[in-house]
Amino acid sequence: MVKENIVDGFKNAPHRSLYHALGYTEEEMARPLIGIVSSYNEIVPGHINLDKITEAVKMGVAMAGGTPIMFPAITVCDGIAMGHTGMKYSLCTRDLIADSTECMVRAHGFDGLVMIPNCDKNVPGLLMAAARLNIPTIFVSGGPMLAGKVMGKKRSLSSMFEAVGAYSSGKINAETLCEFEKKVCPTCGSCSGMYTANSMNCLTEVLGMGLSGNGTIPAVYSARIELAKHAGMQIMELVRKNIRPRDIMTKAAIENAIVADMALGCSTNSMLHLPAIANECGIRVDLDHVNVISERTPNLCHLAPAGPTYMEDLNEAGGVYAVLKELEKLSLIDTSVMTVTGKSMKENIANVKNLDPTVIRPVENPFSKTGGIAVLKGNLAPDGCVVKRSAVAEEMLVHEGPCKVFESEEEAISAIYAGKIVKGDVVVIRYEGPSGGPGMREMLSPTSAIAGMGLDKDVALITDGRFSGATRGASIGHVSPEATRGGMIAYVKDGDIISINIPEYKIELKVSDEEIEKRKKTTEIKRPNVTGYLKRYSEMVSSADRGAIINK
């Protein structure tokens, strides 16, 4: 639906009268109407600056001959929601964002859209909406936070969560904990490591839906405002040429995004979001194919939490396009794909250089010859589970140990802080999946507690929930099928041995088939006791291996 159906012709005089009520002139109504989907709010650090981004986008649209019209999208701050009931409402907002944006656009009829997201579910939710609506659309994010500095080192939010674990185990005192608290998040923006928000903003560039710098220019840089103005101007070019999201987000572009994901060392949450975005484009992402891509794609970046570099460093090194330029050397990406520049990716990266090979390793000298994410399968997870391989210590790539099983994140955190987890253990947290949680909570608190206590090279954590991009260590999530849907993780008991082999993509529960059958007869499968939106979500959401999409 475009504005001709809303404001043009005598029959739409009533509609025009309502535009006049808004203060729009006839001249403005005669121009293309551009919806500005602003995710500005005053509770999420990555969104507090989006009012300025929105004004810059509106100026760009107006300069290029369009009429900008802003409406809002919601978002949840995963950091603030972490570790309590609030995290149940994080992933499920992805579908609320997509659905509500669809409703606003279909009801009001825009010629084009500029999406202004920044944080975790907000970016994929709007990408899903863009694919679903399929009218000319461009993205410009709010940008990443600058890294903090504590005790002479760059730090980020993951450092803060780990500091809590260090304080709990007596490794640091209250004064040091307070210093972390005040300094790790020094500016607005999405948290400064390669966490989910920054992963998805970088992958938006790779998908072709954002201009160069969308994922890496820091939120507080004036270049971010300039980028927003250019995005506002560029949407008018997309409208004129009628270049639409599904012309851009093709199967080749989705595969490019998975390849870049492996090279960048993105959050495991990308393995939920890319399949969901692809689903809206009518494309199926097979998790088995993810490992095929991982096998041939070198890991070129070790940004926090995997290493000591941050988004600002990636930006100075040449950004996402410099990573793509490296991957082009090995013909790992399809550079013929269309992008929102109106040009192919090959044209976009033609003159790009890797300006810092310590931040973006050349393909000749990667951190590893395989990608940053691995999908493991075995009797514990016949439909797969996911680990951020690039953030796992080498000694934990292969691990076998006894289970300590918990029915919720809260139970696990209490046990960790009580010193009940020891070297060699495999912590299992179940009933935290998309349906069983519901909402598939991130487990940053327990993984950070384990890391802060110095156990990240000795303890693995397995869950049917998921992890923050800030998580490091042998943290294996998205176990599918989940416990609530009768997955094997529902039948694990304390003391069972689990074998993990990340290089071979295997995970096994070392319990006989006969014993498992006995347990199935005596184990009660739990359902979440929830109401309202969570109840509807729990009943309708798919398994994690399909992207936790809403089954329509």
Side-chain angles (χ1 to χ4, degrees), residues 194 255-268 270-271 289-302 306 323 327 330 332 363 366-376 386-392 397 502-505:
M194 187 54 82
E255 182 144 334
N256 284 349
I258 298 173
V259 171
D261 185 311
M262 297 298 170
L264 286 162
C266 291
S267 162
T268 51
S270 62
M271 291 298 102
H289 189 56
V290 169
N291 283 342
V292 173
I293 294 172
S294 183
E295 277 295 313
R296 66 176 185 241
T297 306
N299 178 227
L300 306 181
C301 300
H302 265 193
V323 175
L327 295 171
L330 299 178
L332 289 171
V363 290
F367 283 101
S368 66
K369 292 182 179 180
T370 52
I373 287 177
V375 176
L376 314 184
V386 180
V387 63
K388 188 171 182 175
R389 170 168 45 188
S390 60
V392 179
L397 290 171
I502 296 173
E504 294 185 8
Y505 308 109

Side-chain angles (χ1 to χ4, degrees), residues 401-452:
C403 296
K404 287 186 178 167
V405 183
F406 303 96
E407 306 295 291
S408 70
E409 179 186 12
E410 287 84 357
E411 282 188 19
I413 292 171
S414 295
I416 293 166
Y417 284 139
K420 295 180 180 178
I421 306 302
V422 298
K423 290 184 177 182
D425 281 347
V426 177
V427 176
V428 175
I429 306 176
R430 62 190 174 199
Y431 293 106
E432 293 285 5
S435 177
M440 206 177 181
R441 289 193 290 178
E442 290 183 342
M443 302 290 161
L444 180 56
S445 293
T447 58
S448 296
I450 288 169

Side-chain angles (χ1 to χ4, degrees), residues 88-132:
K88 293 178 184 289
Y89 289 88
S90 173
L91 180 60
C92 64
T93 62
R94 186 185 70 184
D95 296 276
L96 282 176
I97 291 162
D99 292 348
S100 59
T101 303
E102 175 192 355
C103 292
M104 287 294 290
V105 174
R106 294 295 189 209
H108 298 103
F110 295 98
D111 294 291
L113 298 169
V114 182
M115 305 291 201
I116 308 177
N118 210 27
C119 289
D120 298 45
K121 308 319 149 311
N122 188 236
V123 184
L126 290 178
L127 282 165
M128 289 163 66
R132 191 183 301 174

